[in-house]
Amino acid sequence: MFPIFDPVALGLYIVGYIFMLIIAATIAPKVAKSISGRFTLYGAMALTAVLVVLTTAFIIYLFVIVALPHMGAYGLSFLLGLIFFVVLMNIITYFASPYLINLSYGARPDPRLQQIVDEVAARLGAPFKLKAVVVDGPPNAFAYGNFLTGRYVAVTSSMLALTDRRELEAVIGHEIGHHLHRDNAIMLLFGILPSIVYYLGVTAVHMAMASSGNRGGNPAILAAVGIAAVIVSILIQLLVLAFSRLREYYADTAGARAAGKEAMQFALAKIHKFYFANPEAHEVVRDSKFRALFIYALVNAVANPFVSVTRSDLEEIKRSSYSVFQEIFSTHPPIPKRLKFLDELQF
């Protein structure tokens, strides 16, 4: 589609990234604060999803009416081909990733964990079979897989040591919630949209640079549409990240239903306290290629794998400060916010 090294695409990416940093540091926190608490969880998810889809549709429409007429007979084929290529690459990743995850983390079946997962799945009414695996690493748990490879719930050995039975059930309930809510497939779909918009923008800029005006095209307009599309793709990505954080709250509700709000809170608080005690463990998770899967959140935090949390610890964590700037770039909400959210749940 483009050269392996495309200076135009690289330049636009850098411009878009700088723009994203500016937005994240100035406008985004103010917008988040102004709308915080105005919507229910379901309302916020619906609104964010609609904004993502409508913004993407608008850019595609703008590309069609401005750029497509100057692409000749093959314009529509190119547009459909680009969308097909981006979708296909993501679908391949979706189906291949469970094998890569199992290989990368040395996932191994565990009969005791499988029994707990089966019990929690039955409690939550899961209509499918889940494969429970243990992996190595700092305290974490994650859900992955699909209908072809099977649906997995992975828990690290250190998470098993960190939590008691009810807390472990809450963590597992959270991960089963991701499966019940089809989060892997939904986030795959939403993750495709900013990529499509970005590549449409790069295409429009290339067309503007190559345009000779023989067909009455205006290079300045094409360039403006292309640059706007790249910038909007960054905004869509921020919205997708916000949507991902909302899905984490949604999964927390499943964990709370499975084992109780308090068990979910204490499990999260132990994770928070654990990572604060040893920042190098946080680096391991943060640098993982699969970090978006993890239950951990925005913590700078591990010393002793047998962390204890009291009610006073729980209240202190709820009052902890966190970086709004960092939150905007994260797939997970900060743990203090998740604890407060669980306080407000009514079953």
Side-chain angles (χ1 to χ4, degrees), residues 107-121:
R108 51 197 181 274
D110 183 275
R112 172 180 171 268
L113 180 61
Q114 184 67 60
Q115 181 182 0
I116 298 173
V117 167
D118 289 343
E119 290 176 8
V120 175

Side-chain angles (χ1 to χ4, degrees), residues 242-266:
F243 187 67
S244 174
R245 293 193 295 273
L246 292 169
R247 303 300 290 187
E248 291 301 320
Y249 289 122
Y250 195 19
D252 281 345
T253 64
R257 285 200 307 271
K261 293 194 297 185
E262 188 174 271
M264 188 76 247
Q265 287 179 316
F266 271 81

Side-chain angles (χ1 to χ4, degrees), residues 17-272:
Y17 191 77
I18 292 172
F19 182 82
M20 179 171 65
L21 289 175
I22 294 172
I23 291 292
T26 57
I27 299 174
K30 295 178 181 178
V31 172
K33 185 177 181 180
S34 66
I35 64 174
S36 178
R38 294 193 177 187
F39 301 95
T40 65
L41 174 61
Y42 299 106
M45 285 193 294
L47 176 62
T48 307
V50 168
L51 284 174
V52 170
V53 172
L54 289 183
T55 306
T56 302
F58 173 74
I59 293 298
I60 294 175
Y61 172 75
L62 193 63
F63 184 88
V64 167
I65 63 173
V66 174
L68 211 60
H70 310 296
M71 297 180 71
Y74 298 101
L76 182 59
S77 297
F78 173 85
L79 176 62
L80 295 176
L82 184 147
I83 294 174
F84 175 78
F85 176 78
V86 174
V87 171
L88 179 62
M89 290 300 99
N90 279 271
I91 289 176
I92 290 174
T93 301
Y94 174 69
F95 285 111
S97 60
Y99 301 107
L100 298 175
I101 292 170
N102 286 340
L103 184 63
S104 298
Y105 287 98
R108 51 197 181 274
D110 183 275
R112 172 180 171 268
L113 180 61
Q114 184 67 60
Q115 181 182 0
I116 298 173
V117 167
D118 289 343
E119 290 176 8
V120 175
R123 202 175 301 160
L124 291 173
F128 38 70
K129 177 68 176 176
L130 292 156
K131 299 178 182 179
V133 293
V134 174
V135 298
D136 295 321
N140 263 309
F142 51 97
Y144 63 102
N146 51 66
F147 65 94
L148 288 182
T149 63
R151 297 174 174 88
Y152 291 85
V153 171
V155 181
T156 62
S157 52
S158 53
M159 176 68 91
L160 293 174
L162 182 73
T163 53
D164 65 23
R165 173 65 183 248
R166 295 297 290 177
E167 293 161 356
L168 179 60
E169 288 178 354
V171 168
I172 290 171
H174 171 101
E175 302 308 333
I176 293 175
H178 280 307
H179 284 302
L180 289 171
H181 306 153
R182 297 178 175 84
D183 284 333
N184 287 334
I186 289 173
M187 293 313 302
L188 167 75
L189 173 62
F190 277 82
I192 288 171
L193 302 182
S195 297
I196 291 173
V197 172
Y198 171 77
Y199 283 115
L200 289 180
V202 172
T203 300
V205 172
H206 272 289
M207 289 173 57
M209 295 175 64
S211 176
S212 61
N214 293 338
R215 294 178 184 160
N218 188 326
I221 293 178
L222 285 172
V225 168
I227 293 171
V230 169
I231 292 173
V232 170
S233 74
I234 301 299
L235 295 177
I236 294 172
Q237 181 60 44
L238 291 177
L239 286 171
V240 170
L241 289 172
F243 187 67
S244 174
R245 293 193 295 273
L246 292 169
R247 303 300 290 187
E248 291 301 320
Y249 289 122
Y250 195 19
D252 281 345
T253 64
R257 285 200 307 271
K261 293 194 297 185
E262 188 174 271
M264 188 76 247
Q265 287 179 316
F266 271 81
L268 290 171
K270 281 187 176 181
I271 295 170
H272 183 87

Side-chain angles (χ1 to χ4, degrees), residues 273-333:
K273 192 173 180 180
F274 183 94
Y275 280 96
F276 259 94
N278 191 349
E280 60 265 26
H282 179 258
E283 296 295 320
V284 171
V285 176
R286 190 190 66 184
D287 295 337
S288 169
K289 293 179 181 178
F290 303 106
R291 61 187 177 275
L293 299 169
F294 294 130
I295 194 175
Y296 95 109
L298 297 174
V299 292
N300 297 321
V302 171
N304 186 336
F306 301 99
V307 173
S308 62
V309 174
T310 64
R311 291 187 182 277
S312 61
D313 291 330
L314 198 63
E315 294 305 316
E316 183 179 351
I317 293 171
K318 290 176 189 177
R319 296 190 296 269
S320 298
S321 61
Y322 50 86
S323 169
V324 177
F325 178 80
Q326 187 183 6
E327 179 186 3
I328 289 168
F329 293 104
S330 176
T331 57
H332 287 59

